[in-house]
């Protein structure tokens, strides 16, 4: 377990001596503060920079493509569910969509789906093909700071799942 204090104003955690990368699954085993986060819930590291990072409820999926004539987006191996909130972190093409905007997944069929501006809303009209992009659940906003001066009940600790335990 590693100490991981977090600042609510930026949704950024600080953790040293870690061995994880972006998209790596982590789990809090103890948590003081951090309203909006839960113990024993799987989160994914995003925006790793030095000793700081943010968390999301899904990994960030790359290789996004889409066809304007059908408004269908393809993301191989995605784990999204209908009505799940997602955001693009990068996007090439896809006029009608933008990065850092909340969208709701709809009409999932295997590796494909459409997006809506509201939960249960109409599919967004995409007017140019998507040739590349990355998409995932938004960064988690927690509303109170997490104090982790010590590991254990007085602060936040993060359990880092091994690659095998997540994928196997």
């Amino acid at each position: 377990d590693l100490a991981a204090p977090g600042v609510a104003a930026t949704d950024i955690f600080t953790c040293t001596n870690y061995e994880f990368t972006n998209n790596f699954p982590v789990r809090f085993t103890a948590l003081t503060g951090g309203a909006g986060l839960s113990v024993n819930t799987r989160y994914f590291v995003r925006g790793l920079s030095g000793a700081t990072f943010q968390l999301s409820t899904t990994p960030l999926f790359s290789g996004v493509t889409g066809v304007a004539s059908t408004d269908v987006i393809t993301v191989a191996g995605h784990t999204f569910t209908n009505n799940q909130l997602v955001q693009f972190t990068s996007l090439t093409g896809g006029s009608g969509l933008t990065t850092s905007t909340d969208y709701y997944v709809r009409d999932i069929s295997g590796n494909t789906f459409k997006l809506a501006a509201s939960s249960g809303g109409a599919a967004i009209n995409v007017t140019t093909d998507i040739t590349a992009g990355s998409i995932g659940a938004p960064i988690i906003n927690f509303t109170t700071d997490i104090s982790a001066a010590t590991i254990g009940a007085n602060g936040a600790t993060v359990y880092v799942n091994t690659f095998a335990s997540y994928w196997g």
Side-chain angles (χ1 to χ4, degrees), residues 140-151:
I140 296 171
N141 297 309
F142 53 98
T143 57
T144 59
D145 287 349
I146 300 168
S147 173
T150 59
I151 295 174

Side-chain angles (χ1 to χ4, degrees), residues 48-104:
L48 183 64
S49 178
T52 65
F53 59 94
Q54 294 174 308
L55 295 176
S56 179
T57 58
T58 70
L60 186 63
F61 295 94
S62 299
V64 177
T65 59
V67 179
S69 62
T70 61
D71 303 322
V72 171
I73 297 168
T74 301
V75 180
H78 76 80
T79 58
F80 304 134
T81 57
N82 281 316
N83 292 315
Q84 182 172 358
L85 191 64
V86 295
Q87 290 181 347
F88 286 98
T89 59
S90 66
L91 182 64
T92 303
S95 293
L97 302 168
T98 59
T99 60
S100 301
T101 299
D102 290 344
Y103 297 107
Y104 293 85

Side-chain angles (χ1 to χ4, degrees), residues 7-165:
V7 178
T10 59
D11 302 315
I12 291 177
F13 296 87
T14 302
C15 184
T16 57
N17 299 319
Y18 61 84
E19 294 185 13
F20 46 79
T21 59
N22 282 318
N23 282 339
F24 204 84
V26 295
R27 188 181 308 265
F28 288 99
T29 58
L31 185 63
T32 301
L37 298 168
S38 300
V39 172
N40 294 323
T41 297
R42 182 179 295 163
Y43 299 107
F44 295 86
V45 172
R46 295 266 291 274
L48 183 64
S49 178
T52 65
F53 59 94
Q54 294 174 308
L55 295 176
S56 179
T57 58
T58 70
L60 186 63
F61 295 94
S62 299
V64 177
T65 59
V67 179
S69 62
T70 61
D71 303 322
V72 171
I73 297 168
T74 301
V75 180
H78 76 80
T79 58
F80 304 134
T81 57
N82 281 316
N83 292 315
Q84 182 172 358
L85 191 64
V86 295
Q87 290 181 347
F88 286 98
T89 59
S90 66
L91 182 64
T92 303
S95 293
L97 302 168
T98 59
T99 60
S100 301
T101 299
D102 290 344
Y103 297 107
Y104 293 85
V105 176
R106 58 170 286 155
D107 305 330
I108 293 174
S109 178
N111 288 329
T112 66
F113 54 87
K114 294 181 180 183
L115 294 175
S118 60
S119 181
I124 294 173
N125 181 24
V126 181
T127 58
T128 61
D129 289 349
I130 299 171
T131 57
S134 296
I135 193 170
I139 298 299
I140 296 171
N141 297 309
F142 53 98
T143 57
T144 59
D145 287 349
I146 300 168
S147 173
T150 59
I151 295 174
N154 292 329
T157 57
V158 177
Y159 170 70
V160 179
N161 292 321
T162 64
F163 184 78
S165 70

